[in-house]
Amino acid sequence: MKKKIFTFLGFLFLGFGIIGAFLPIIPTVPFILVAAYFFEKSSEKFYNWLLNNKYFGEHLKDYRINKGITKKNKIIAIASTIFGMTLGMVFMPFIIGKILLLLILVGVIFHIINVDTIKK
């Protein structure tokens, strides 16, 4: 039963990640990382599929196996996060929502900067 729930959650977060690839307000990478976690715990087949995916695989391998992010991907991640979160703040009607988005933005940038930079 646990494997089925984790597989379902893997696909759910994968879906959110795919949506995030097209909507700048929703992040892609965190959802894909969570999907990878659930697939790793539930299905070797889906985990390997995700690691070998032509869109997400290389980034997942860098983050999960090599324990880092390339400098180029750090720059892209920070720039796209700033763009998406700023866009979200512009359209957010509530000040508390804007503050929360700003805090999330700072946290994500802090995390990206502190992840090891790998050379390829």
Side-chain angles (χ1 to χ4, degrees):
M1 182 69 167
K2 182 179 174 182
K3 283 188 175 192
K4 288 181 182 182
I5 292 170
F6 277 20
T7 301
F8 170 78
L9 290 171
F11 279 111
L12 179 69
F13 283 102
L14 177 62
F16 288 149
I18 291 170
I19 291 169
F22 299 101
L23 296 176
I25 296 172
I26 299 172
T28 299
V29 174
F31 288 121
I32 300 300
L33 290 172
V34 173
Y37 169 81
F38 283 119
F39 285 147
E40 183 179 33
K41 301 294 182 192
S42 65
S43 171
E44 186 177 339
K45 173 184 169 186
F46 293 130
Y47 179 69
N48 288 331
W49 171 80
L50 199 56
L51 280 181
N52 294 309
N53 183 282
K54 72 178 187 176
Y55 300 108
F56 308 120
E58 182 180 335
H59 306 296
L60 278 172
K61 286 176 188 173
D62 285 346
Y63 191 84
R64 294 187 54 86
I65 296 169
N66 299 328
K67 305 294 184 200
I69 304 172
T70 63
K71 185 177 180 179
K72 174 186 170 189
N73 286 338
K74 278 187 174 188
I75 292 168
I76 291 169
I78 290 171
S80 62
T81 302
I82 290 172
F83 173 76
M85 296 300 256
T86 302
L87 190 63
M89 285 186 265
V90 167
F91 290 106
M92 174 60 67
F94 308 108
I95 190 70
I96 191 74
K98 291 180 185 210
I99 292 169
L100 288 172
L101 286 174
L102 180 62
L103 291 173
I104 292 168
L105 173 63
V106 170
V108 169
I109 290 173
F110 181 77
H111 174 72
I112 292 169
I113 289 171
N114 285 307
V115 170
D116 287 341
T117 302
I118 57 175
K119 295 180 181 180
K120 285 214 165 182

